[in-house]
Amino acid sequence: MEDKQKSLSPPPCPSTVTVRRNPLRRARATPYTTATKPPFSSLASAITHDVPTFPIDEILSIQIPQSEPKQSIPESLKIFLRIKPLRSFTKVTTTKARPRNVWPQNPSKKNIAKENRNPEITKKVKKKDEEACITLNDPYSVTLTPPQSLQELKRSKTEVYEGFSHVFPADCSQNDVYDKMVQPLLEDFMKGKSGMLAALGPSGSGKTHTVFGSLKDPGIVPITLRQIFKKSHESSSGPLRLFNLSIFEICSERGKGEKAYDLLGGESSELSVQQSTIRGLKEVPIQNLEEAESLIGQAMLKRATATTNSNSQSSRSQCIINVRASCNGFSNETKMQYSDAMLTIVDLAGAEREKRTGNQGERLVESNFINNTSMVFGQCLRSLLEYQKNRKKGLQKHHQNSLLTRYLRDYLEGKKRMALILTVKAGEEDYLDTSYLLRQASPYMKIKFDNTEEPCNKRQLKTFPRAEKNKKIKLSAPKTSQIEENFLEERSQISQEVHLQGKKADPRDRSSPRLEPVSHDKNEREHIIMRNFSKVLWNVLKQYNEKLKVAEGEICTLKDSLRREQLKSLVLETELSSLKSPCLAEPCIPEAVVEAIVHAKENFEVAASMTIVLRNVDDDSCNLIKARREAGAEESSDSPVPNVIRNVDDDSCNLIKESREAGAEESSKSPVPNMRNVDFDSCNLIKSRREASAEEPSESPVPSKNVKDAELVRCHLSSQNDAEPRQSVNSEENVGIPSATTHVEAEVTDFPRDQAIQNQDDPTPSPEQVEVSQDFINSQISNVQTKSAVSRRFPDSEKQERNRRLLPVSSRSLTEKMNDLDIKENQIEKPQVKTAKTHVQKKAESIQGQEIEVPAREAEPASTKKQRNGQKPKRRLQPASSVLLTREINTLEIEDDIAEPKGTRGGKKTTVSQPRSQGSVTLLRLLTNNLHL
Ligand SMILES: Nc1ncnc2c1ncn2[C@@H]1O[C@H](COP(=O)(O)OP(=O)(O)OP(=O)(O)O)[C@@H](O)[C@H]1O
């Protein structure tokens, strides 16, 4: 103490002391100082000595409360997660090596023995079974990873679930679960607060194991009962509390509805359910743990269970265990009355998938019920979780959908405390069930997209250049089967090439540029496609070319057939015209022959008119001949079509020339009879015939007669070529030749085809033809003689005008010349002169003085006349000329007439008073007499 006092003694006083005038101020006494007043003597020392030390030890001893997890679960609902250990884990751990000489008892043992013999297999099994889909992150969160198979098939992702009150790993014990989960609720229960514990999870995940456990490893219920009676005994100071136990189950009645059964009741254990209250439930008071455990044991025996593929003793009902605590006294400590509390422990039936459970029939109905109940419970739970997160949102109520949720309405609405434990299986095959449960009941969920890159890359690779090309090719591909086949072949080749290139390429090396091989492949592919397409096009073009050739051949054949048809039609037309032409020409021909003098003019008019008709035929025939010559020489040679009928110009020389030329060329070839009108200009005619006679006789098969004075080309339809008998007629020899009128008629009427063919084959004229031609020539000659006499009667203008009206241009000159002959029309129809004896002098220049000796005419037989009249009643071409002739003849003054010299034919015919020649006078007399004019 002395040392201490010495150490606390103040320092020695200084030599000088300062005294303060003001009274000494005392500082406010501190509590510390006030509490224990030290003695004044020791005040100074005490002041310096009592400085408090810093309470560092106290500060360090203070325990700072640990920060709770961010996602704290509300008090009314706590969610726990328990992971069931993997089966392989237990198998591997329980596997014991057996001696090799032991015969395996069953297949499983046999497999085990195999595994033992082959440790690699065991390792593989271990590796395979050890792979879990769920891993524990921390006591409050887990990560769920999809298995590899599901990652490839669909777009799966790693999920992180958090916000749990606690996550029990696979190796946790039942006591851990009780401590963390049940004890808080039990304390409140003992204080009179109700609470509920529920186990939720798929089938076989350990719900029943967690809730009830086993004899060796008891679960929540046994432990809780034990703790209840333990605590009740410890709190001896408290009121007397009574506990009652009730157990019932909710199951489906053949799938039609929900039923509740009392598991502690008697035989009629069915309960009546009204909304959320269950009537008739038996509560059994429990005094001690043994009674409680026996009751629970009895209830478990009554509970509906079944064996499924997922669980050998699967719960088929929702089991509810109620422990009600009743209190009849006051608490000594709080002096408050205890209310009844209810602790509810629920073992739900696990949701199960049909494929995994293999349920059928009644089991399947139970499964549907269980799944529906689980779904409704999960919806209610989800709604409560969302409601607790955000209370602004209203609570969605789903509890009405099942009896269980209706019974647990207060808990599912958050009015009472509830602790939920989720049991999950950690195997890969249980991923879907686990994921479904966690999505439904976990407080929070995060989705990691770490494993989403691979599917994206695969998709990109799949849709790389091939798909677009296929589409394009499909759209642009032609529909021909050949093209499709080629396309398929190329497609397979290219796909193989691409596949090989893809194999060669390193898929991991993403940095390596793959555009070059792709572009190269694209170019090659396009090249192959275009090449094959061009081949196909070439083949198609070839086919079309062949088709075109065939079509051209058909066109040629059709053209030939068309030509033939046209020729046939032309032949028919010409036949028709030929049939028409004789009908028209028929009446005039015999008259021209018979009426030697009187009908000379008319004859020429008829001939001229014939030319009009036949001229048309000429054109057609010419064309026809041309066509037939082109078509073939054979057809033309056999053709019965009449040949050209030519009109001869006034100029006789031209006429003869044309006739010669035509005769030399055509008549030798063509069998068709020719018809020529001949000018009767004597001078020209004689000249021309002289010239012709020098050439033709050699060709003509029939020797012509002596041509003394003149040659006349006969106008006959039946004769046609140069071989026809152009007879030079001596008028003297022809005198007395009988008329060939009948023959002419026959020829004319029978002309058409047979005669033509006959003439064609035999160019030699028949005697009848010769006769007719002779008569005709005679008549023409007589006409020539008569013309000079008659022409004087009419003025030239009038004649020309008439010619213009009646005849075509080519024949007008002829008719003009013949107009000089005034012949009565009536004479045509009266008995005609058969023949006329004419004298044709050699020198045509001096026609004057010629005399035509007209023999006594013979009346034509009546029969012939009648026949002719009957056959040819119509004479369309004659009336105009006949009338004129009649007029002229009527005006003739035969007695006073004086023969007109022939030399005036080419000159002016103005004088009517010119003297007639003797021959003409005689002729006129004969005419008048015979015709009875
Ligand atoms: N944590 C665990 N540790 C050891 N074994 C367990 C565990 N959880 C469950 N088991 C075993 O798994 C099997 C199935 O468990 P349990 O019957 O509890 O599943 P469940 O979820 O109730 O199925 P269900 O819904 O079909 O009734 C039981 O044999 C049980 O012993």
Side-chain angles (χ1 to χ4, degrees):
M1 287 297 288
E2 292 178 355
D3 296 336
K4 190 176 181 181
Q5 287 178 354
K6 287 179 181 178
S7 62
L8 293 174
S9 61
C13 293
S15 59
T16 57
V17 176
T18 302
V19 179
R20 298 180 63 128
R21 291 179 181 175
N22 294 330
L24 183 63
R25 293 180 181 176
R26 291 186 178 179
R28 188 179 294 176
T30 59
Y32 178 79
T33 56
T34 55
T36 54
K37 276 187 178 179
F40 180 77
S41 57
S42 60
L43 182 64
S45 61
I47 292 170
T48 57
H49 182 72
D50 292 338
V51 175
T53 60
F54 187 77
I56 188 167
D57 295 333
E58 295 177 0
I59 292 170
L60 293 175
S61 64
I62 295 172
Q63 292 182 354
I64 300 170
Q66 293 181 356
S67 61
E68 294 181 354
K70 294 179 180 177
Q71 294 88 13
S72 61
I73 300 171
E75 293 293 328
S76 59
L77 176 62
K78 289 186 178 179
I79 295 177
F80 299 86
L81 177 64
R82 186 178 187 181
I83 300 171
K84 182 185 175 181
L86 294 170
R87 284 176 295 178
S88 61
F89 178 76
T90 54
K91 283 182 180 178
V92 172
T93 51
T94 55
T95 300
K96 293 180 180 179
R98 286 177 178 271
R100 291 186 177 182
N101 55 358
V102 176
W103 187 261
Q105 299 297 322
N106 51 44
S108 61
K109 292 181 179 177
K110 189 176 179 180
N111 293 330
I112 292 169
K114 285 183 179 178
E115 291 174 1
N116 292 329
R117 285 195 296 270
N118 190 357
E120 294 181 355
I121 297 173
T122 309
K123 289 180 181 177
K124 287 181 181 177
V125 172
K126 283 182 180 177
K127 284 184 178 178
K128 184 176 182 181
D129 291 342
E130 285 176 357
E131 291 179 357
C133 64
I134 188 168
T135 55
L136 183 66
N137 301 325
D138 53 42
Y140 313 106
S141 65
V142 292
T143 299
L144 184 66
T145 305
Q148 194 66 27
S149 58
L150 292 176
Q151 290 180 9
E152 293 176 354
L153 289 176
K154 60 182 181 179
R155 188 180 181 184
S156 301
K157 48 198 171 296
T158 300
E159 301 160 343
V160 176
Y161 297 95
E162 57 189 7
F164 298 103
S165 297
H166 193 82
V167 176
F168 302 102
D171 56 350
C172 71
S173 64
Q174 300 281 53
N175 291 324
D176 294 339
V177 175
Y178 173 81
D179 293 340
K180 298 287 183 184
M181 178 181 174
V182 182
Q183 187 176 7
L185 283 175
L186 182 61
E187 290 178 355
D188 291 341
F189 171 73
M190 295 302 289
K191 293 176 183 177
K193 289 183 181 178
S194 299
M196 184 188 76
L197 292 169
L200 179 67
S203 178
S205 60
K207 298 182 295 296
T208 305
H209 175 77
T210 303
V211 172
F212 294 98
S214 61
L215 292 174
K216 293 181 179 179
D217 193 9
I220 294 173
V221 172
I223 297 173
T224 302
L225 290 173
R226 189 184 302 162
Q227 292 296 325
I228 288 172
F229 288 105
K230 182 182 177 183
K231 287 190 176 180
S232 64
H233 289 294
E234 288 178 353
S235 58
S236 59
S237 61
L240 182 62
R241 304 183 65 178
L242 300 176
F243 296 97
N244 297 306
L245 183 65
S246 62
I247 304 171
F248 69 97
E249 65 176 356
I250 299 172
C251 58
S252 65
E253 187 186 23
R254 298 178 181 177
K256 294 180 180 178
E258 294 175 320
K259 292 255 180 181
Y261 296 94
D262 190 357
L263 296 178
L264 298 177
E267 295 179 355
S268 58
S269 60
E270 186 176 352
L271 302 172
S272 64
V273 180
Q274 292 180 355
Q275 293 299 321
S276 59
T277 58
I278 297 174
R279 299 180 185 278
L281 182 62
K282 185 181 179 180
E283 282 189 343
V284 179
I286 49 175
Q287 301 297 330
N288 49 41
L289 179 60
E290 290 75 14
E291 292 179 0
E293 289 179 348
S294 68
L295 290 175
I296 289 178
Q298 293 176 8
M300 290 300 103
L301 293 175
K302 290 184 179 180
R303 190 184 180 189
T305 57
T307 302
T308 63
N309 295 335
S310 300
N311 191 358
S312 60
Q313 196 173 2
S314 176
S315 303
R316 314 308 297 171
S317 65
Q318 324 293 348
C319 183
I320 298 102
I321 302 165
N322 291 322
V323 179
R324 186 172 63 86
S326 61
C327 184
N328 291 327
F330 290 92
S331 172
N332 294 328
E333 298 176 354
T334 57
K335 303 296 182 183
M336 294 179 63
Q337 187 177 8
Y338 282 99
S339 62
D340 293 343
M342 181 78 75
L343 180 63
T344 303
I345 301 172
V346 180
D347 180 17
L348 297 172
E352 52 193 11
R353 287 182 295 167
E354 296 176 4
K355 290 181 179 178
R356 296 196 64 181
T357 58
N359 292 329
Q360 293 179 351
E362 189 177 356
R363 295 282 87 78
L364 188 61
V365 174
E366 291 174 357
S367 297
N368 293 332
F369 158 74
I370 293 167
N371 291 332
N372 289 331
T373 305
S374 299
M375 183 183 67
V376 173
F377 190 88
Q379 289 175 350
C380 294
L381 189 64
R382 189 74 254 169
S383 298
L384 180 61
L385 287 169
E386 297 298 328
Y387 175 72
Q388 288 181 349
K389 289 179 186 176
N390 186 6
R391 293 188 178 270
K392 293 179 181 179
K393 293 182 180 179
L395 178 63
Q396 295 180 357
K397 298 179 179 179
H398 305 280
H399 60 275
Q400 295 293 335
N401 296 327
S402 72
L403 177 59
L404 177 67
T405 51
R406 286 199 300 270
Y407 181 77
L408 302 175
R409 179 177 179 177
D410 293 339
Y411 298 100
L412 294 175
E413 288 181 353
K415 296 176 181 176
K416 295 180 181 178
R417 295 182 64 182
M418 179 178 69
L420 182 68
I421 184 168
L422 306 176
T423 57
V424 295
K425 291 184 285 188
E428 287 183 341
E429 64 274 13
D430 303 314
Y431 167 78
L432 295 176
D433 292 335
T434 304
S435 176
Y436 177 78
L437 176 66
L438 293 176
R439 285 168 182 261
Q440 192 177 41
S442 63
Y444 300 98
M445 183 183 71
K446 288 181 181 178
I447 299 175
K448 289 184 177 179
F449 295 95
D450 297 336
N451 60 340
T452 55
E453 294 179 357
E454 293 180 357
C456 292
N457 293 332
K458 287 178 182 177
R459 183 184 297 173
Q460 289 174 359
L461 290 173
K462 285 178 182 177
T463 58
F464 208 46
R466 294 289 306 169
E468 293 181 359
K469 289 178 181 176
N470 289 339
K471 283 185 179 177
K472 287 179 181 177
I473 290 165
K474 281 182 180 178
L475 290 173
S476 60
K479 294 182 179 179
T480 56
S481 58
Q482 191 175 0
I483 292 172
E484 287 181 356
E485 290 176 358
N486 293 329
F487 170 69
L488 290 174
E489 291 177 359
E490 294 302 327
R491 188 179 176 182
S492 60
Q493 291 177 0
I494 293 164
S495 61
Q496 289 177 358
E497 292 175 0
V498 171
H499 183 65
L500 291 174
Q501 290 182 358
K503 279 188 175 180
K504 291 177 182 177
D506 187 8
R508 294 179 181 177
D509 189 10
R510 295 180 182 177
S511 61
S512 62
R514 298 188 63 185
L515 293 175
E516 290 183 357
V518 169
S519 61
H520 179 67
D521 175 61
K522 183 180 177 182
N523 292 330
E524 281 189 354
R525 189 165 177 273
E526 288 180 354
H527 172 69
I528 293 168
I529 290 169
M530 294 305 295
R531 186 183 61 194
N532 290 327
F533 189 71
S534 61
K535 287 180 182 177
V536 172
L537 282 178
W538 180 251
N539 292 328
V540 172
L541 289 173
K542 279 184 178 178
Q543 292 176 359
Y544 275 110
N545 190 16
E546 293 176 356
K547 289 181 180 178
L548 282 174
K549 288 179 180 177
V550 173
E552 286 178 355
E554 291 178 353
I555 289 169
C556 291
T557 54
L558 290 173
K559 283 181 178 178
D560 293 337
S561 61
L562 180 63
R563 277 180 199 166
R564 290 172 186 172
E565 294 299 326
Q566 287 177 350
L567 290 172
K568 287 178 182 178
S569 65
L570 287 173
V571 169
L572 292 173
E573 288 178 358
T574 50
E575 285 180 357
L576 180 64
S577 60
S578 64
L579 288 172
K580 288 178 181 178
S581 59
C583 294
L584 296 173
E586 191 178 17
C588 59
I589 297 300
E591 291 171 3
V593 175
V594 173
E595 308 294 332
I597 299 173
V598 178
H599 288 279
K601 177 185 176 183
E602 184 182 1
N603 226 346
F604 280 101
E605 289 178 354
V606 169
S609 60
M610 279 290 295
T611 56
I612 296 170
V613 176
L614 295 175
R615 193 174 184 181
N616 297 324
V617 180
D618 187 10
D619 296 333
D620 295 334
S621 301
C622 289
N623 295 327
L624 177 63
I625 288 166
K626 290 178 180 177
R628 292 186 70 84
R629 281 179 181 175
E630 292 175 357
E634 296 178 358
E635 292 181 3
S636 62
S637 61
D638 297 332
S639 175
V641 180
N643 204 347
V644 183
I645 299 171
R646 296 175 181 276
N647 293 320
V648 185
D649 195 71
D650 289 339
D651 190 355
S652 302
C653 295
N654 294 331
L655 171 66
I656 299 302
K657 288 178 181 177
E658 287 180 3
S659 62
R660 280 180 187 173
E661 293 173 358
E665 295 176 359
E666 296 179 2
S667 27
S668 61
K669 297 177 181 178
S670 174
V672 182
N674 198 355
M675 181 175 179
R676 296 186 178 89
N677 294 326
V678 186
D679 188 14
F680 281 86
D681 189 344
S682 303
C683 298
N684 295 330
L685 184 62
I686 289 167
K687 285 180 179 177
S688 62
R689 292 305 300 172
R690 281 179 179 176
E691 293 174 357
S693 59
E695 298 174 359
E696 291 179 0
S698 60
E699 298 176 357
S700 176
V702 178
S704 60
K705 295 183 178 180
N706 298 326
V707 179
K708 294 180 180 179
D709 297 331
E711 284 184 21
L712 294 176
V713 179
R714 73 183 179 97
C715 179
H716 198 282
L717 290 173
S718 60
S719 62
Q720 45 93 24
N721 52 14
D722 287 346
E724 65 185 354
R726 295 180 181 177
Q727 294 179 349
S728 59
V729 180
N730 191 348
S731 59
E732 294 178 355
E733 293 177 359
N734 290 333
V735 172
I737 294 174
S739 175
T741 306
T742 55
H743 299 292
V744 172
E745 288 178 356
E747 287 176 5
V748 171
T749 53
D750 298 335
F751 166 71
R753 191 174 292 180
D754 298 333
Q755 190 68 32
I757 294 169
Q758 184 180 355
N759 292 330
Q760 176 187 356
D761 298 333
D762 185 10
T764 307
S766 62
E768 296 173 353
Q769 292 174 352
V770 173
E771 290 176 2
V772 172
S773 61
Q774 289 176 351
D775 295 339
F776 186 76
I777 292 166
N778 293 329
S779 64
Q780 300 300 331
I781 293 170
S782 61
N783 282 335
V784 171
Q785 291 177 349
T786 311
K787 186 172 75 174
S788 60
V790 177
S791 61
R792 291 176 299 180
R793 306 280 177 186
F794 301 95
D796 292 337
S797 60
E798 188 178 357
K799 293 175 185 176
Q800 291 175 357
E801 190 174 355
R802 284 181 299 176
N803 290 333
R804 290 192 187 98
R805 287 198 304 265
L806 295 175
L807 299 175
V809 177
S810 59
S811 303
R812 279 174 188 170
S813 59
L814 292 172
T815 52
E816 286 175 359
K817 294 174 182 177
M818 294 306 297
N819 280 336
D820 295 334
L821 299 174
D822 295 332
I823 302 173
K824 250 185 171 179
E825 174 64 22
N826 294 331
Q827 291 177 353
I828 296 171
E829 294 181 358
K830 288 183 177 179
Q832 298 175 359
V833 179
K834 289 184 178 178
T835 57
K837 184 178 181 181
T838 57
H839 297 279
V840 181
Q841 296 180 359
K842 291 183 180 178
K843 294 182 181 179
E845 292 84 0
S846 60
I847 296 177
Q848 292 181 355
Q850 284 184 351
E851 293 181 359
I852 298 173
E853 295 179 356
V854 180
R857 59 183 180 84
E858 296 178 358
E860 187 179 1
S863 61
T864 307
K865 183 181 179 183
K866 287 179 181 177
Q867 184 179 358
R868 189 177 66 237
N869 291 331
Q871 292 176 352
K872 310 170 191 67
K874 295 180 181 178
R875 300 177 62 192
R876 294 180 182 175
L877 299 175
Q878 291 182 354
S881 60
S882 301
V883 171
L884 294 172
L885 285 171
T886 307
R887 289 177 184 172
E888 290 172 357
I889 290 170
N890 287 331
T891 55
L892 284 176
E893 293 175 355
I894 298 172
E895 299 296 337
D896 298 332
D897 282 344
I898 300 170
E900 185 182 3
K902 287 285 182 182
T904 60
R905 189 183 68 86
K908 294 182 179 179
K909 303 170 185 174
T910 55
T911 58
V912 180
S913 61
Q914 288 182 352
R916 293 178 184 271
S917 63
Q918 188 176 359
S920 62
V921 171
T922 306
L923 178 60
L924 288 173
R925 284 178 181 171
L926 289 171
L927 286 170
T928 51
N929 292 328
N930 293 325
L931 295 174
H932 303 287
L933 293 172

